[in-house]
Amino acid sequence: MNIISQIASDHLRMDLPQFKSGDNVKVHLRIVEGEKERIQIFQGNVIRLHRGSSNGTFTVRKVSDGVGVERIFPLHSPFIDRIELVTEGRVRRSRLYYLRKLKGKAARIKPKSRW
């Protein structure tokens, strides 16, 4: 094992929940403002997952005041306090870029049934 992958494996997070594209998640971010620190929540649908050892990312999309907002988070970032899985969505694709064109009820993702 080379030294770079060994250093990267030391910083991997093991407390992440299992989520996939279409799931609704709450990402609790640690925000530092001056000398104070607070937690800010970003809740939305996961539209993309990019798996990787230390450089994996996921994209979360929400609609805020009628404007779509997307944010890309590194999976193993120290600024992420925790990730909370709210609902599991039933989708047939791994990249949900088509949601960018939809509005209102058309942009909803059906919840996954437990049966």
Side-chain angles (χ1 to χ4, degrees), residues 19-27 41-49 57-64 68-73 83-91 93-100 102-112:
F19 61 92
K20 58 186 183 356
S21 293
D23 292 349
N24 196 322
V25 294
K26 283 184 184 178
V27 182
I41 299 173
F42 191 90
Q43 180 176 352
N45 292 322
V46 177
I47 64 168
R48 178 181 192 263
L49 267 173
T57 60
F58 63 102
T59 304
V60 180
R61 177 180 174 83
K62 73 174 183 176
V63 178
S64 178
V69 179
E70 291 183 8
R71 188 152 180 198
I72 301 171
F73 298 102
I83 300 172
E84 217 178 300
L85 182 63
V86 179
T87 58
E88 293 184 36
R90 185 175 59 134
V91 293
R93 306 191 181 285
S94 61
R95 307 281 196 259
L96 303 179
Y97 297 141
Y98 65 90
L99 289 177
R100 294 172 178 166
L102 302 178
K103 289 193 247 181
K105 285 188 177 181
R108 287 184 302 177
I109 295 176
K110 293 181 182 177
K112 192 175 195 180

